[in-house]
Amino acid sequence: MEKEKLKGVSNGKKFLIESYGCQMNFSDSEIVASILTEKGFSITKVEDDADLILLNTCAIRDNAEQRVRNRLTHLKGKKKRNKTLKVGVLGCMAERLKSKLLDEEKLVDLVVGPDAYRDLPNLIEEVETGQKAVNVLLSREETYADINPVRMNQDGVTAFVSIMRGCDNMCSFCVVPFTRGRERSRSPETIVKECTDLFASGYKEVTLLGQNVDSYRWNIDSKGNIKNENEETTNFAGLLEKVALVDKNLRVRFSTSHPKDMTDDVLHTMAKYENICNYIHLPVQSGNSDVLKRMNRGYTREWYLDRMKAIRRIIPECAVSTDIITGFCGENEEEFNDTLSLMKEVKYDFAYMFFYSERPKTLAERKFEDDVPLELKKSRLTEVINLQSEHGHASTKRQVGLTQEVLVEGVSKRSSEHNYGRNSQNAVVIFPKQDSKRGDYVQVKIQSCTPATLMGEIVG
Ligand code: SAH
Ligand code: SF4
Ligand code: F3S
């Protein structure tokens, strides 16, 4: 009882949290913020006001870690001037490097992995007594299902909702299974409740997050058997439907789909509900089947193109984006050309493109030589980027002349006379405000475009 009363009462301490990496990390930071504010800490965005600075880090590529190291070096200087300032590293880099971050670098006071955030208040107490604190235990169960995230993106219109954690796929290039642990799904009830609450407080769009949303499963084991006869079973298509039914004015997005697991069921569910956005992020990584095999992705070029055909057939209006890696171990000219030819075949609306960065402990690091010279990785990346910008521009040009529903997210950064929002296909649309405001759905006639943005006017 006494404890209950103390909940949320200010302890006078302020924390600042910075997020790096994927949407999952941004979503986790909102969980961390919730755990800490419950214990009386308050959030600040001003570095000089913070008693505690937390970096929620990413380990996906070497340059992601480098960014964090630079930031930590900067903060070290700050700690010299302000002896009471504490710095903590959370997330994937914390999990990867564990106490090394404390021992080697002497830059941080606190290291906490992605499954240990409930322990943060205790760990901070330890740190306050002058000790260093670490908890990098991974869990098979933790989904933070009961925690109500403190929303940190201030638009009040769009929110991330985590539906699962971890990843069991073991793509050979990828560090995520090591930093985030085993895959586990969150209960459909808590997901639907979170979405319902968000809609009730004015949110108009949720993005369901998981490393491989297609393998979401509740009450079904990895072999497809029902675990508990008395409980409802849900797969991703079922979950998507439940969330779509929260309200027809709540837009639903999701990320990331995995080509080996994406079913026609999911596509039919998308086609059935107007409020599930016509947009799929379907990372291909490479257009060559031998490279895909070395990457341990679990599909071939043909399989991927068949999934693309299913998308085009079932949801003709669907936009598709992808992730591409150039210069993976052993990638020769011919194999690389297959990536370019696949891109030409699919014509992605959008893509995230990277050159291969070897990560310690991964299958690729143990099995293959990182033998494509950096310069070649980079020149291939440039080729991929140039081709994609043609395709991206073609995509925005195709939309000129159409009238599209846009969810208003806020005032354009370039002009206070304009609002911006996104269409169902996830493209940014800018238009004169008229009397629209954030959170409104408006019909916009697209009149012109740049390679990445649509411009139009509200009609009707
Ligand atoms: N779960 C998602 C990917 C998460 S990581 C999926 O399966 O698609 C986001 C992207 O980072 C990956 O799709 C991949 O393109 C890229 N990436 C991951 N590891 C990488 C590495 N070692 N080097 C370069 N890019 C990498
Ligand atoms: Fe990494 Fe593959 Fe899992 Fe994606 S599916 S997080 S690339 S291991
Ligand atoms: Fe990075 Fe971890 Fe996400 S490695 S991409 S923050 S899951």
Side-chain angles (χ1 to χ4, degrees):
M1 196 59 206
E2 199 49 30
K3 233 180 178 173
E4 276 302 296
K5 260 200 242 154
L6 289 172
K7 227 166 141 184
V9 173
S10 170
N11 66 8
K13 304 229 165 61
K14 291 193 181 136
F15 70 97
L16 177 141
I17 184 162
E18 286 171 16
S19 309
Y20 298 80
C22 64
Q23 293 168 334
M24 195 70 88
N25 253 15
F26 285 75
S27 165
D28 278 4
S29 293
E30 301 186 328
I31 288 168
V32 168
S34 171
I35 291 170
L36 292 183
T37 48
E38 278 278 302
K39 292 285 176 190
F41 291 84
S42 50
I43 305 180
T44 177
K45 290 196 164 164
V46 184
E47 205 177 288
D48 286 335
D49 287 351
D51 305 290
L52 172 66
I53 298 181
L54 299 171
L55 308 186
N56 194 359
T57 61
C58 174
I60 201 82
R61 285 167 292 273
D62 185 57
N63 56 12
E65 290 200 0
Q66 228 41 64
R67 258 185 87 196
V68 171
R69 284 181 193 280
N70 292 342
R71 186 73 182 120
L72 285 173
T73 310
H74 168 82
L75 291 175
K76 191 178 184 180
K78 226 180 155 63
K79 271 166 76 70
K80 279 203 185 121
R81 293 190 298 277
N82 172 2
K83 298 278 185 245
T84 59
L85 174 68
K86 304 291 179 199
V87 174
V89 176
L90 315 181
C92 293
M93 217 175 138
E95 194 61 51
R96 195 179 84 68
L97 294 166
K98 305 192 166 61
S99 54
K100 270 191 204 154
L101 275 168
L102 298 179
D103 309 338
E104 285 172 18
E105 319 269 332
K106 310 239 181 300
L107 298 173
V108 296
D109 305 287
L110 180 70
V111 176
V112 189
D115 287 345
Y117 297 146
R118 286 183 203 266
D119 198 22
L120 257 171
N122 300 328
L123 296 166
I124 293 170
E125 249 176 57
E126 268 177 50
V127 164
E128 277 168 357
T129 65
Q131 302 170 60
K132 304 267 174 185
V134 191
N135 186 345
V136 288
L137 287 177
L138 287 172
S139 154
R140 279 178 174 253
E141 283 94 34
E142 182 62 274
T143 59
Y144 301 108
D146 56 313
I147 291 179
N148 198 7
V150 171
R151 302 293 162 187
M152 289 198 291
N153 86 327
Q154 303 284 322
D155 71 10
V157 178
T158 64
F160 294 134
V161 176
S162 214
I163 64 165
M164 58 208 292
R165 302 181 68 81
C167 184
D168 282 353
N169 281 315
M170 289 299 203
C171 301
S172 64
F173 52 79
C174 183
V175 78
V176 172
F178 303 92
T179 62
R180 295 243 157 202
R182 299 306 297 269
E183 180 189 290
R184 66 223 97 122
S185 296
R186 176 181 172 192
S187 78
E189 293 77 34
T190 59
I191 296 168
V192 170
K193 181 175 184 304
E194 189 174 328
C195 296
T196 308
D197 292 349
L198 281 166
F199 186 71
S201 52
Y203 284 82
K204 295 289 174 57
E205 184 180 295
V206 290
T207 302
L208 308 180
L209 293 182
Q211 292 298 350
N212 174 0
V213 291
D214 301 287
S215 65
Y216 176 88
R217 51 170 200 263
W218 187 251
N219 197 27
I220 310 171
D221 71 16
S222 54
K223 296 190 180 74
N225 302 314
I226 293 173
K227 286 200 218 161
N228 177 351
E229 290 293 342
N230 302 321
E231 214 182 307
E232 209 184 339
T233 62
T234 313
N235 62 11
F236 184 58
L239 179 73
L240 206 49
E241 177 153 54
K242 283 181 205 280
V243 176
L245 288 169
V246 165
D247 195 288
K248 65 178 188 344
N249 285 317
L250 180 70
R251 270 186 173 181
V252 186
R253 297 185 188 276
F254 54 87
S255 188
T256 302
S257 302
H258 198 301
K260 80 177 164 61
D261 297 320
M262 194 193 64
T263 62
D264 286 5
D265 259 8
V266 167
L267 301 176
H268 287 298
T269 308
M270 291 176 73
K272 183 169 164 195
Y273 294 96
E274 194 71 23
N275 56 326
I276 305 180
C277 291
N278 289 336
Y279 171 62
I280 298 180
H281 182 57
L282 194 67
V284 68
Q285 315 298 357
S286 164
N288 176 276
S289 295
D290 292 333
V291 175
L292 288 169
K293 190 152 201 249
R294 297 202 289 281
M295 287 178 164
N296 200 27
R297 284 289 286 179
Y299 55 86
T300 58
R301 175 189 174 99
E302 291 68 34
W303 174 276
Y304 185 93
L305 290 173
D306 172 75
R307 296 290 73 213
M308 278 309 308
K309 266 200 201 125
I311 296 172
R312 304 283 190 232
R313 183 178 73 240
I314 299 167
I315 322 164
E317 308 273 85
C318 197
V320 180
S321 62
T322 201
D323 292 348
I324 289 173
I325 299 177
T326 65
F328 183 64
C329 309
E331 185 189 69
N332 62 32
E333 208 58 38
E334 209 179 307
E335 290 170 337
F336 170 64
N337 284 334
D338 281 347
T339 295
L340 297 175
S341 80
L342 180 129
M343 290 174 73
K344 286 177 192 156
E345 205 163 326
V346 176
K347 298 215 166 55
Y348 292 106
D349 298 275
F350 192 83
Y352 300 89
M353 297 154 285
F354 318 97
F355 66 79
Y356 174 58
S357 160
E358 185 178 78
R359 309 310 291 132
K361 276 204 199 165
T362 53
L363 281 176
E365 190 242 7
R366 286 181 278 148
K367 246 171 92 178
F368 305 120
E369 206 181 323
D370 180 13
D371 54 359
V372 178
L374 183 62
E375 282 316 307
L376 189 55
K377 285 179 180 173
K378 285 187 177 169
S379 66
R380 285 180 183 167
L381 178 60
T382 307
E383 259 188 87
V384 163
I385 291 172
N386 290 343
L387 181 59
Q388 180 51 39
S389 64
E390 277 173 37
H391 294 162
H393 203 176
S395 159
T396 52
K397 278 185 197 155
R398 271 198 303 277
Q399 298 178 71
V400 174
L402 302 178
T403 298
Q404 302 177 322
E405 184 182 79
V406 174
L407 172 60
V408 184
E409 289 180 25
V411 179
S412 162
K413 283 195 192 90
R414 294 254 181 88
S415 138
S416 58
E417 299 303 304
H418 289 71
N419 276 338
Y420 79 95
R422 275 172 305 148
N423 62 15
S424 175
Q425 285 78 5
N426 208 37
V428 173
V429 184
I430 296 173
F431 49 90
K433 275 180 182 168
Q434 299 188 16
D435 48 13
S436 68
K437 55 186 190 315
R438 84 167 41 157
D440 287 350
Y441 286 105
V442 290
Q443 295 292 324
V444 177
K445 178 155 192 195
I446 309 301
Q447 290 158 330
S448 63
C449 68
T450 68
T453 316
L454 302 170
M455 272 84 70
E457 212 156 76
I458 298 180
V459 292

